[in-house]
């Protein structure tokens, strides 16, 4: 058989289709909920039981640009706001996520409620949340070798999907443990030929605080992520706290990469933080890494004369 241009065009089309399907399958199953490197400073984003745990009205604004230089790579904006009510026996929270991956986007709005139990020397909180998500798939923006190929004559589509989540959070002055399922319902996200679905996620984390001396503290923690039809992911974190003002840390994300991060407490109620992710997978050949930045502010409802730092 001669190597005709038509044959090479057919081969190229098959490769394009395979690559597209692989990319969409990864989009649909590997990373459905946004990934955060500094989740420990924004726990409401993964657990509704955290609502009202900061002793005041607490807000966080975060931006994440993943895999720089890769076209269609994920970008995420996250805003959370929560506060205690009824003498800190309960908490209310709001979590808004804007997530863009390739030609697909999601706007998710969650309302959270937490009920807290004061134990002998610790607190235990139970949380529930209700959410509504608007999903959009702009298939017409896909680039193909042949723009007139009927196989890719896909229109845009959008969905409005409600969901529900639960969580539990325990902490004292030295340790914490958290477990949550942000959305309990598995949902189909496409009416077209490409299969896409939202799978149930389970987030579990735990950690502790160890005092080295008057100026230094050490805070290790672990985050485990379980997703249907995907391998377990684990973030192993270690942070050094300097004078309760500067936090410097590193994380290892199993099967994925390394993270360096730093947070600075500008004032007792104002924080900024930055993290850089370096991938260890094949994406590192084309990616410029991942940048994540946040700012947070707390309006204390009843500020005491001496404000004790909150490490969890």
């Amino acid at each position: 058989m001669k190597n005709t241009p038509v044959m090479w065009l057919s081969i190229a089309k098959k490769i394009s289709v395979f690559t597209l399907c692989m990319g969409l399958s990864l989009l649909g199953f590997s990373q459905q909920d946004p990934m955060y490197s500094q989740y420990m400073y924004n726990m409401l984003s993964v657990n509704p039981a955290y609502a009202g745990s900061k002793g005041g009205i607490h807000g966080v604004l975060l931006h994440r640009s993943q895999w720089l230089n890769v076209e269609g790579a994920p970008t995420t904006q996250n805003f959370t706001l929560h506060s205690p009510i009824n003498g800190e026996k309960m908490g209310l929270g709001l979590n808004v996520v804007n997530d863009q991956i390739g030609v697909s986007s999601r706007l998710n709005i969650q309302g959270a409620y937490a009920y807290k139990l004061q134990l002998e020397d610790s607190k235990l909180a139970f949380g529930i949340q209700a959410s509504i998500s608007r999903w959009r798939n702009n298939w017409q923006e896909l680039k193909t070798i042949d723009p007139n190929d009927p196989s890719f004559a896909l229109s845009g589509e959008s969905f409005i999907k409600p969901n529900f989540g639960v969580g539990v959070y325990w902490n004292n002055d030295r340790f914490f443990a958290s477990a949550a399922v942000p959305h309990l319902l598995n949902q189909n996200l496409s009416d077209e030929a490409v299969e896409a679905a939202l799978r149930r996620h389970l987030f579990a984390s735990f950690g502790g605080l160890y005092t080295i001396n008057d100026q230094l503290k050490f805070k290790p923690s672990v985050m485990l992520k379980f997703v249907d039809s995907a391998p377990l992911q684990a973030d192993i974190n270690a942070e050094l706290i300097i004078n309760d003002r500067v936090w410097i840390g590193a994380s290892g994300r199993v099967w994925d990469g390394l993270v360096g991060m730093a947070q600075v407490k500008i004032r007792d109620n104002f924080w900024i933080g930055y993290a850089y992710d370096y991938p260890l997978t094949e994406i590192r050949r084309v990616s410029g890494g991942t940048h994540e930045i946040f700012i947070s502010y707390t309006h204390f409802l009843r500020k005491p004369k001496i404000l004790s730092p909150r490490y969890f």
Side-chain angles (χ1 to χ4, degrees):
M1 181 183 294
K2 295 182 180 180
N3 296 334
T4 64
V6 174
M7 184 189 73
W8 284 112
L9 179 60
S10 176
I11 294 174
K13 183 180 294 187
K14 291 179 180 179
I15 293 174
S16 176
V17 172
F18 175 78
T19 304
L20 175 63
C21 291
M22 286 296 293
L24 288 172
S25 67
L26 288 174
L27 186 155
F29 295 102
S30 295
Q31 184 180 328
Q32 298 188 347
D33 274 351
M35 178 188 300
Y36 302 112
S37 295
Q38 302 173 100
Y39 69 87
M40 63 285 290
Y41 302 98
N42 192 22
M43 287 288 288
L44 185 66
S45 63
V46 296
N47 190 345
Y50 197 73
S53 63
K54 286 292 188 179
I57 303 172
H58 181 74
V60 177
L61 183 62
L62 178 146
H63 174 82
R64 179 178 176 87
S65 295
Q66 189 165 325
W67 302 333
L68 292 183
N69 305 326
V70 176
E71 185 177 0
T75 60
T76 304
Q77 296 81 41
N78 180 215
F79 171 70
T80 60
L81 183 69
H82 62 102
S83 173
I85 60 173
N86 194 23
E88 300 196 25
K89 295 179 180 179
M90 303 177 188
L92 293 177
L94 173 69
N95 182 28
V96 181
V97 179
N98 181 51
D99 201 29
Q100 177 80 37
I101 306 177
V103 299
S104 298
S105 64
R106 177 179 68 158
L107 176 63
N108 180 248
I109 302 175
Q110 302 172 348
Y113 168 81
Y115 182 79
K116 305 173 185 299
L117 297 176
Q118 180 65 57
L119 306 180
E120 184 177 352
D121 59 352
S122 62
K123 292 181 180 181
L124 179 64
F126 300 92
I128 58 174
Q129 69 182 25
S131 66
I132 188 155
S133 297
R134 185 202 65 194
W135 300 80
R136 285 185 175 177
N137 299 315
N138 297 315
W139 304 126
Q140 67 273 16
E141 295 182 7
L142 291 172
K143 297 179 182 179
T144 61
I145 295 175
D146 181 1
N148 298 316
D149 191 333
S151 300
F152 294 96
L154 303 175
S155 61
E157 57 182 353
S158 63
F159 301 89
I160 301 293
K161 298 282 188 177
N163 218 312
F164 305 92
V166 296
V168 59
Y169 180 75
W170 172 89
N171 76 287
N172 60 19
D173 292 337
R174 293 188 56 195
F175 302 100
F176 81 93
S178 168
V181 181
H183 40 77
L184 292 168
L185 305 179
N186 289 333
Q187 294 172 326
N188 179 45
L189 301 178
S190 177
D191 286 335
E192 302 289 359
V194 176
E195 293 185 4
L198 177 67
R199 298 299 183 187
R200 189 177 299 110
H201 291 54
L202 169 63
F203 294 89
S205 61
F206 54 91
L209 180 73
Y210 302 91
T211 300
I212 300 174
N213 55 43
D214 292 340
Q215 287 77 41
L216 296 176
K217 295 180 179 68
F218 177 62
K219 182 187 173 186
S221 62
V222 174
M223 166 70 86
L224 304 176
K225 307 171 188 178
F226 305 87
V227 184
D228 291 350
S229 305
L232 168 68
Q233 187 177 77
D235 287 18
I236 302 172
N237 315 296
E239 298 173 275
L240 190 64
I241 305 171
I242 305 171
N243 290 326
D244 288 328
R245 288 288 178 183
V246 178
W247 301 46
I248 300 174
S251 298
R253 185 170 294 130
V254 177
W255 316 119
D256 186 79
L258 301 174
V259 180
M261 51 190 171
Q263 295 76 33
V264 178
K265 185 188 293 186
I266 305 299
R267 300 177 60 184
D268 287 335
N269 58 351
F270 182 62
W271 283 75
I272 60 172
Y274 169 79
Y276 175 78
D277 298 24
Y278 178 78
L280 297 179
T281 60
E282 289 300 313
I283 195 76
R284 71 181 185 275
R285 300 179 183 275
V286 294
S287 169
T290 297
H291 298 276
E292 181 180 289
I293 187 169
F294 80 84
I295 58 174
S296 73
Y297 179 82
T298 305
H299 174 71
F300 295 105
L301 300 179
R302 294 189 303 272
K303 187 172 180 179
K305 295 181 180 179
I306 299 178
L307 187 64
S308 299
R310 290 180 180 250
Y311 302 101
F312 307 122

